[in-house]
Amino acid sequence: MSTTVTVAPNHGLQLPVKPSQPRNASDHFFWTYTEEPHRTRRQAIIKAHPEVTKLCGHEPLTKYIVLAVVSLQILCAAWLRHSPIMSARFLLTSYIIGATANQNLFLAIHEISHNLAFKSPIANRLFAVFANLPIGLPYSASFRPYHLTHHKSLGVDGLDTDLPTALEALFLDSILGKAFFCTFQILFYAIRPMMVYQLPFTSLHLFNVAAQLAFDILLVHYLGAGALAYLIMSSFLAGSLHPCAGHFIAEHYVFDKQPKSARAPANHVPVPETYSYYGPLNLLTFNVGLHNEHHDFPAIPWSRLPLLHEMAKDFYVDLPHHASWVWVIWQFICDKDVGLWCRVKRETGGKKVGGGKVD
């Protein structure tokens, strides 16, 4: 039985914009002429509940959680340094503890990218590099501009690198293809942005790479290659068939069955493009499941998103949401009506974020 809750969208939040050219017949994305819904809903919520703006600002608790998780991962790496990679102890620890911890750090970096750990922008940039260390590969400096562009350009083809490409959707449009995508989705999210557009290589990128290399070299020198293998395996499993990895798919893929007319943008059929999740795994993932709330107010930290939901419940109660990230992965793979084509796309609008300055 599906645990995706389907309801009709409310508040009339989709606005018409200039139509694009007709799509190719082999393209099955949900192309739309409408503005992304979050800016409009944010304005409506502030008008109805102006007190929500008091929730904005950094969350001091974030840095302590990150410090604890980084320490946990280094301790686990030390404990497993002599364990064979294919041993039960190594694999189970990597999956149960390591993947959960590194998914937590992925999402800590997500929080930090919005300047929500410290008041100072430079402190956030540097702390993101620290949170990156147990992941094993440098990515925090690149993640931020790509992610902020995702917010500014939700669904815009050629800007929003969270969108699968037509090539991915075409070749992975099967149960086996979707299973492959879910198993290796961390690689898709790592490689796809660079294939869509290139970021300038800044001093922050250099620092990220240098700090990560130094950490990895020291780790191998003092604890051995097995310790680094544990961290890399943890990162891979965190973006593979892991319960917490369900959020990658749950956030913006269209799971509700849509009428055929929804594929024709001229029909202006509203298609939900962001889904929230309110289950217990939010405790491990900085409340990333509250994704409509996050996109509506990216300046509100993870710890106050539940308060936002309660304060503006009249705006959120009727939006579609998921009840299980595990079910999301299963449904995505097995349901013939759900797949990589199930994303809302736009041809125009948005804004690219990512110069060389720290902001």
Side-chain angles (χ1 to χ4, degrees):
M1 181 179 71
S2 172
T3 54
T4 300
V5 180
T6 306
V7 290
N10 64 354
H11 295 291
L13 296 177
Q14 293 196 330
L15 302 178
V17 298
K18 184 178 179 180
S20 61
Q21 296 299 315
R23 306 305 310 166
N24 187 293
S26 64
D27 187 314
H28 302 297
F29 291 113
F30 291 99
W31 289 91
T32 182
Y33 299 157
T34 62
E35 180 186 58
E36 62 90 6
H38 298 288
R39 186 179 71 89
T40 309
R41 185 162 55 237
R42 176 166 60 250
Q43 293 171 340
I45 289 174
I46 291 174
K47 183 177 180 180
H49 305 284
E51 66 274 15
V52 300
T53 58
K54 296 179 181 178
L55 299 176
C56 297
H58 75 290
E59 171 51 74
L61 182 60
T62 300
K63 59 181 176 288
Y64 300 113
I65 295 175
V66 170
L67 180 61
V69 176
V70 169
S71 300
L72 171 65
Q73 281 295 76
I74 294 173
L75 287 173
C76 287
W79 180 57
L80 292 172
R81 66 188 183 276
H82 298 310
S83 298
I85 291 177
M86 298 308 296
S87 67
R89 181 167 71 168
F90 187 97
L91 293 175
L92 287 174
T93 305
S94 297
Y95 187 83
I96 297 171
I97 298 177
T100 305
N102 275 11
Q103 183 65 248
N104 177 275
L105 292 175
F106 290 159
L107 294 167
I109 291 169
H110 166 261
E111 278 288 305
I112 298 164
S113 73
H114 289 284
N115 288 337
L116 294 177
F118 298 92
K119 290 182 179 179
S120 163
I122 189 63
N124 283 285
R125 300 295 83 72
L126 296 177
F127 194 62
V129 173
F130 172 75
N132 193 154
L133 295 178
I135 292 168
L137 298 170
Y139 94 105
S140 65
S142 294
F143 173 80
R144 183 174 187 267
Y146 281 127
H147 180 68
L148 296 186
T149 298
H150 163 68
H151 273 266
K152 296 285 187 181
S153 311
L154 182 65
V156 178
D157 195 36
L159 286 180
D160 184 358
T161 59
D162 187 66
L163 292 167
T165 64
L167 194 64
E168 291 171 66
L170 182 64
F171 281 97
L172 301 175
D173 190 21
S174 66
I175 289 178
L176 287 177
K178 291 185 289 183
F180 179 87
F181 176 79
C182 290
T183 302
F184 297 99
Q185 62 180 312
I186 191 68
L187 301 181
F188 286 89
Y189 282 104
I191 296 170
R192 183 196 299 140
M194 296 182 290
M195 305 303 291
V196 175
Y197 69 87
Q198 299 282 319
L199 290 171
F201 190 82
T202 68
S203 57
L204 184 60
H205 289 85
L206 180 61
F207 176 69
N208 189 191
V209 171
Q212 191 66 56
L213 281 175
F215 175 82
D216 291 351
I217 290 169
L218 289 172
L219 189 74
V220 171
H221 178 75
Y222 287 104
L223 297 179
L228 181 59
Y230 163 74
L231 296 182
I232 299 295
M233 179 67 81
S234 296
S235 294
F236 171 75
L237 294 173
S240 185
L241 297 173
H242 188 278
C244 292
H247 83 87
F248 289 122
I249 297 169
E251 291 163 359
H252 296 294
Y253 281 89
V254 180
F255 276 75
D256 300 324
K257 189 173 179 61
Q258 302 297 314
K260 289 185 178 180
S261 58
R263 299 283 182 180
N267 293 328
H268 296 286
V269 176
V271 178
E273 53 189 296
T274 304
Y275 290 67
S276 287
Y277 158 78
Y278 301 108
L281 293 180
N282 279 311
L283 294 172
L284 302 172
T285 56
F286 290 98
N287 282 328
V288 74
L290 280 73
H291 216 65
N292 270 299
E293 293 83 347
H294 169 64
H295 268 266
D296 289 350
F297 290 90
I300 293 179
W302 62 275
S303 58
R304 296 174 212 146
L305 289 177
L307 292 175
L308 168 64
H309 178 85
E310 290 302 316
M311 293 166 72
K313 201 163 189 174
D314 48 325
F315 285 85
Y316 294 117
V317 69
D318 289 335
L319 294 181
H321 57 275
H322 296 290
S324 167
W325 279 341
V326 174
W327 177 257
V328 161
I329 297 172
W330 179 263
Q331 185 181 2
F332 182 82
I333 294 173
C334 297
D335 190 335
K336 64 181 179 61
D337 294 320
V338 181
L340 278 82
W341 289 116
C342 294
R343 288 294 297 264
V344 176
K345 281 196 174 188
R346 299 172 172 83
E347 277 199 338
T348 60
K351 176 186 177 183
K352 185 184 290 185
V353 180
K357 67 177 183 177
V358 176
D359 50 9

